[in-house]
């Protein structure tokens, strides 16, 4: 039975791929009705709906807090009034209170044939769904995770370095966004677009995201293995090597020294060797830590983390060895390297973090271990062959392009499995949206994980490639994934764990400002480039002069700059929040709270 289902699944994947292969790329009259375009529009609408739901939840929480303040004020007013009563009035009130306490229900108030009435005001709320999370009650209790000081220091320094590279890398990106509007902004070779663009991408890739993943990963492997990190010294060595790689690589790129313009591997090989050494050291440290675990099982997070590191070591070697990179061979390797860098390094490692930090933040187990393993192995199977879909209609073999499209469609399996696992884990806890911004960060990350990954599969079809390839639409897609998925997930993990190991938490107002500026900025950035990229692609198909598409894009580049500005401001707020969470002085009041078990009640009637 399982074999039959697997065969049917493969047939479905192949049918999707060959449907994309057989699309008539020359007919753009009804381009908006193609499966890839329709699917993309639906996915974007889904993100908008999620944003609206989060706003509603936050407003509901705000209204509840205002009502609570009103009730407290009424209580204080009553206390003040009682203080001014004479002894006789107080005795009268106490007598009435005594009679009220002695009152007992007869059992027929709500169960007889009489008309329902609640003259005593006993019932506050009635529900036919006792398990509805809206009426769940939650108790908070201060809880700090016992963390060895050496591990805490290592994590903070990794995350601190990551935050610095995030600010620097996105500052460069912000400057580049301004250059689209004012191309005459400068005439300095070091600040030219061709040099700064790889500075931006590599700084946020290898500086921000990689260092943040490593820092968060150290806590996961130690915690899930119930043991100490194998060697803290190795961790510090790797931190120095990776920072040196990004620093020297940045200076080389700004000075015009690069690897020939291959995207995401612009660092020359001596620089990338430093990063590779740091990766190998951290891998050995993680592996040794897991090998010396105090429990029999290997938690699913460690599968993803070690798998990502093994694949990336292979990827860096293949991407930088020159022996087979001549002519079209270099194009094939570029597609492989570029897509594996995102999918097998950032995505796989970050998913491993989520399998720990999401259930930990919610104080409940992951919904399904089996779904996690299914998503892991199908990601290993399908993601390794999809890089060539960036070169559809190129001189590469037609069969290789088709294989990439088919395997891109196959990515629906790990994405749906992972998304289902995360959403089912969050089920029953969505009311926390009104109490903390940690869950909204997780929700947006999960939403973009589904939307961005699925949209990438749609974009792999030949017709959508025909319209969107080489346009600004690809920039929107890359930010939808690297920013909407990876960065939001990393923020969620940082906000979830740092207060629990440092005892300090920033104000939710600042965290909320960070969340909304980043989310709104990303949405504006993404929508403007998706719309502009589509119109640009259609103008090329129509044979219009290239300069017309450039002129047409100006208004969309303005929207891009506005969205990018909001995102950059959010990063400054995040840096401030990070400082508050790790500030050594004790002047910051600890506000750390963690979830305890939900109240297990089947009562349909809640009494006041």
């Amino acid at each position: 039975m399982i074999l039959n289902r697997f065969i049917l699944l493969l047939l479905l994947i192949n049918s999707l791929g060959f449907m994309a292969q057989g699309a008539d790329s020359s007919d753009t009259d009804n381009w908006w009705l193609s499966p890839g375009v329709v699917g993309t529009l639906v996915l974007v609408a889904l993100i908008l709906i999620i944003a609206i739901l989060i706003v509603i939840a936050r407003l509901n929480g705000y209204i509840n807090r205002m009502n609570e303040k009103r009730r407290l004020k009424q209580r204080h007013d009553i206390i003040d009034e009682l203080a001014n009563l004479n002894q006789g009035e107080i005795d009268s009130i106490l007598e009435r209170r005594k009679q009220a306490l002695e009152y007992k229900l007869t059992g027929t108030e709500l169960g007889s044939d009489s008309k329902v009435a609640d003259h005593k005001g006993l019932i506050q709320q009635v529900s036919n769904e006792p398990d509805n999370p809206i009426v769940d009650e939650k108790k908070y209790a201060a809880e700090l995770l016992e963390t060895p000081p050496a591990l805490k220091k290592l994590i903070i320094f990794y995350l601190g370095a990551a935050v610095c590279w995030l600010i620097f890398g996105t500052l460069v990106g912000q400057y580049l966004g301004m250059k689209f509007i004012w191309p005459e902004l400068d005439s300095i070779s070091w600040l030219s677009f061709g040099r700064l663009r790889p500075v931006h991408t590599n700084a946020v890739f290898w500086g921000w995201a990689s260092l943040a993943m490593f820092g968060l990963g150290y806590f996961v492997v130690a915690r899930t293995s119930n043991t100490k990190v194998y060697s803290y010294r190795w961790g510090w060595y790797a931190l120095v090597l990776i920072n040196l790689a990004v620093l020297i690589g940045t200076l080389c790129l700004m000075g015009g020294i690069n690897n020939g313009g291959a995207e995401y591997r612009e660092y020359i090989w001596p620089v990338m060797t430093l990063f590779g050494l740091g990766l190998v050291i951290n891998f050995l440290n993680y592996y040794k830590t897991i090998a010396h675990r105090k429990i029999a099982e290997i938690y699913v997070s460690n599968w993803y983390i070690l798998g990502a590191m093994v694949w990336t070591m292979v990827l860096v070697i293949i991407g930088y060895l020159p022996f087979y990179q001549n002519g079209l061979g270099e194009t094939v390797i570029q597609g492989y390297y570029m897509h594996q860098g995102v999918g097998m390094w950032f995505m796989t490692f970050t998913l491993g973090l989520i399998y720990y930090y999401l259930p930990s933040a919610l104080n409940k187990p992951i919904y399904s271990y089996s779904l996690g393993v299914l998503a892991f192995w199908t990601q290993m199977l399908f993601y390794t062959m999809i890089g060539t879909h960036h070169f559809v209609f190129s001189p590469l073999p037609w069969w290789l392009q088709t294989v990439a499209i088919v395997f891109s469609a196959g990515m629906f399996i790990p994405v749906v499995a992972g998304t289902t696992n995360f959403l089912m884990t969050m089920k029953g806890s969505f009311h926390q949206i009104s109490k903390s911004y940690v869950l909204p960060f997780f929700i947006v990350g999960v939403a973009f994980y589904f939307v961005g990954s699925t949209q990438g599969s749609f974009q792999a079809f030949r017709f959508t490639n025909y319209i969107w390839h080489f346009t600004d639409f690809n920039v929107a897609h890359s930010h939808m994934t690297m920013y909407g998925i990876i960065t939001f997930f990393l923020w969620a993990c940082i906000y979830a764990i740092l207060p629990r190991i440092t005892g300090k938490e920033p104000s939710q107002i600042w965290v909320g400002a960070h969340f909304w500026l980043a989310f709104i900025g990303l949405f504006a950035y993404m929508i403007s480039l998706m719309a502009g990229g589509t119109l640009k692609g259609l103008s090329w198909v129509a044979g219009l002069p290239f300069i017309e598409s450039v002129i047409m894009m100006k208004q969309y580049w303005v929207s891009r700059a506005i969205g990018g500005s909001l995102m950059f401001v959010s990063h400054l707020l995040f840096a401030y929040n990070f400082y508050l969470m790790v500030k050594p002085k004790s002047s910051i009041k600890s506000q750390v709270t963690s979830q305890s078990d939900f109240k297990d009640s089947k009562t349909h009637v809640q009494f006041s």
Side-chain angles (χ1 to χ4, degrees):
M1 181 62 70
I2 297 176
L3 180 60
N4 291 338
R5 291 180 180 177
F6 184 72
I7 293 173
L8 288 174
L9 192 58
L10 289 180
L11 290 175
L12 174 61
I13 294 169
N14 278 275
S15 65
L16 289 172
F18 287 108
M19 177 185 68
Q21 178 185 3
D24 183 2
S25 302
S26 61
D27 182 12
T28 57
D29 293 338
N30 297 317
W31 60 271
W32 60 87
L33 297 178
S34 69
V37 176
V38 172
T40 298
L41 293 175
V42 171
L43 294 171
V44 171
L46 178 63
I47 290 293
L48 184 59
I49 292 172
I50 291 173
I52 294 173
L53 293 177
I54 292 176
V55 170
I56 293 174
R58 297 299 299 185
L59 287 176
N60 183 61
Y62 176 76
I63 293 172
N64 290 337
R65 288 192 296 272
M66 294 300 295
N67 290 335
E68 182 63 25
K69 289 182 180 179
R70 179 177 56 80
R71 286 192 292 270
L72 288 174
K73 185 178 183 302
Q74 291 176 346
R75 183 180 300 175
H76 289 306
D77 291 341
I78 293 174
I79 293 173
D80 292 340
E81 184 179 349
L82 290 174
N84 295 322
L85 295 176
N86 57 43
Q87 187 61 41
E89 292 172 327
I90 294 176
D91 292 341
S92 176
I93 293 174
L94 291 176
E95 183 64 28
R96 291 197 300 270
R97 177 58 179 165
K98 180 180 179 181
Q99 295 175 359
L101 291 174
E102 292 176 351
Y103 177 81
K104 294 184 179 180
L105 295 173
T106 63
T108 61
E109 284 80 2
L110 297 177
S112 66
D113 295 331
S114 304
K115 184 178 180 180
V116 177
D118 181 27
H119 300 295
K120 300 295 182 180
L122 299 173
I123 299 174
Q124 183 182 37
Q125 185 174 2
V126 177
S127 173
N128 293 321
E129 300 179 82
D131 293 326
N132 191 325
I134 294 178
V135 299
D136 279 344
E137 291 185 2
K138 176 173 172 253
K139 294 185 294 184
Y140 290 91
E143 177 183 342
L144 291 177
L145 295 176
E146 293 186 7
T147 308
L151 176 59
K152 183 190 303 184
K153 183 178 180 181
L154 185 65
I155 293 172
I156 290 174
F157 270 80
Y158 263 94
L159 296 180
V163 172
C164 292
W165 286 117
L166 173 67
I167 298 299
F168 170 76
T170 52
L171 175 62
V172 173
Q174 175 69 12
Y175 187 71
L176 292 172
M178 297 300 181
K179 280 200 165 193
F180 277 96
I181 308 172
W182 300 295
E184 70 286 354
L185 200 56
D186 66 71
S187 57
I188 304 173
S189 61
W190 279 57
L191 301 179
S192 61
F193 185 92
R195 297 189 184 184
L196 286 184
R197 200 269 176 176
V199 168
H200 162 65
T201 55
N202 285 275
V204 295
F205 270 41
W206 314 121
W208 151 243
S210 297
L211 285 173
M213 293 188 312
F214 279 132
L216 293 166
Y218 266 108
F219 186 86
V220 173
V221 296
R223 188 78 175 180
T224 58
S225 301
N226 194 26
T227 187
K228 67 176 184 178
V229 172
Y230 178 75
S231 172
Y232 291 112
R233 182 178 297 179
W234 286 8
W236 289 106
Y237 288 161
L239 176 63
V240 172
L241 287 171
I242 294 172
N243 277 288
L244 280 176
V246 182
L247 176 61
I248 298 173
T250 297
L251 295 175
C252 288
L253 291 177
M254 295 184 72
I257 304 171
N258 56 63
N259 193 40
E263 192 171 21
Y264 306 151
R265 52 175 178 159
E266 291 93 349
Y267 287 170
I268 56 177
W269 70 264
V271 172
M272 205 59 185
T273 299
L274 294 176
F275 181 89
L277 289 174
L279 173 63
V280 170
I281 292 173
N282 275 336
F283 169 75
L284 292 175
N285 213 5
Y286 283 10
Y287 177 79
K288 290 283 190 179
T289 301
I290 297 171
H292 289 81
R293 65 190 181 277
K294 302 289 181 61
I295 55 178
E297 298 82 6
I298 298 179
Y299 187 61
V300 66
S301 288
N302 298 322
W303 285 61
Y304 280 86
I305 291 173
L306 292 184
M309 299 176 84
V310 169
W311 269 109
T312 305
M313 289 187 288
V314 174
L315 174 66
V316 171
I317 293 172
I318 292 177
Y320 275 85
L321 286 179
F323 313 124
Y324 37 75
Q325 299 194 38
N326 296 317
L328 291 178
E330 183 176 5
T331 303
V332 175
I333 295 301
Q334 174 58 27
Y336 172 80
Y337 178 91
M338 176 174 55
H339 223 91
Q340 301 309 301
V342 175
M344 302 305 292
W345 172 232
F346 296 107
M347 189 68 72
T348 305
F349 198 116
T350 303
L351 289 176
L353 297 177
I354 298 305
Y355 273 101
Y356 172 79
Y357 285 106
L358 176 61
S360 173
L362 299 178
N363 195 30
K364 57 171 63 173
I366 195 71
Y367 172 72
S368 172
Y369 193 93
S370 299
L371 273 179
V373 175
L374 171 65
F376 174 80
W377 285 113
T378 50
Q379 174 129 340
M380 297 299 109
L381 171 64
F382 291 114
Y383 216 110
T384 54
M385 294 295 292
I386 67 177
T388 314
H389 74 210
H390 286 276
F391 302 104
V392 175
F393 302 116
S394 71
L396 296 181
W398 192 257
W399 67 266
L400 186 59
Q401 301 176 35
T402 302
V403 167
I405 296 173
V406 172
F407 275 68
S408 298
M411 280 300 298
F412 286 125
I413 299 175
V415 170
V416 171
T419 303
T420 302
N421 216 1
F422 299 145
L423 291 178
M424 294 303 292
T425 302
M426 290 188 283
K427 182 182 178 182
S429 302
F430 289 106
H431 63 294
Q432 292 186 57
I433 292 177
S434 63
K435 299 182 177 71
S436 170
Y437 270 104
V438 172
L439 186 59
F441 275 105
F442 277 119
I443 290 175
V444 170
V446 172
F448 272 106
Y449 173 55
F450 177 75
V451 170
S453 301
T454 305
Q455 191 275 322
S457 296
F458 286 142
Q459 192 172 338
F461 293 166
R462 280 198 167 87
F463 180 82
T464 45
N465 250 283
Y466 185 61
I467 295 178
W468 289 333
H469 200 36
F470 298 122
T471 70
D472 295 68
F473 195 102
N474 292 280
V475 181
H477 172 72
S478 64
H479 283 76
M480 190 188 305
T481 52
M482 276 302 299
Y483 196 89
I485 304 174
I486 306 302
T487 298
F488 266 87
F489 270 154
L490 292 177
W491 283 333
C493 296
I494 290 171
Y495 281 126
I497 195 60
L498 264 188
R500 300 186 69 185
I501 65 175
T502 65
K504 304 179 183 70
E505 185 172 352
S507 169
Q508 285 293 303
I509 295 177
W510 293 116
V511 181
H514 168 207
F515 173 83
W516 285 113
L517 286 173
F519 182 80
I520 295 173
L522 173 60
F523 198 81
Y525 189 105
M526 179 181 74
I527 295 300
S528 61
L529 292 188
M530 290 173 77
T534 302
L535 295 177
K536 176 187 281 189
L538 291 173
S539 73
W540 292 350
V541 172
L544 299 177
F546 178 79
I547 191 60
E548 290 194 14
S549 67
V550 176
I551 297 172
M552 176 200 66
M553 282 298 299
K554 182 176 181 180
Q555 57 182 324
Y556 299 102
W557 286 335
V558 171
S559 300
R560 165 192 174 140
I562 294 174
S565 299
L566 294 176
M567 294 156 69
F568 180 67
V569 172
S570 78
H571 302 162
L572 296 178
L573 290 175
F574 168 62
Y576 177 68
N577 291 336
F578 176 81
Y579 169 73
L580 293 180
M581 289 186 285
V582 302
K583 186 178 180 181
K585 295 181 180 180
S586 59
S587 59
I588 304 174
K589 184 179 180 181
S590 175
Q591 304 172 2
V592 181
T593 57
S594 64
Q595 228 181 26
S596 62
D597 293 335
F598 290 116
K599 185 177 180 181
D600 184 15
S601 174
K602 297 297 181 181
T603 305
H604 286 249
V605 181
Q606 181 179 345
F607 294 97
S608 59

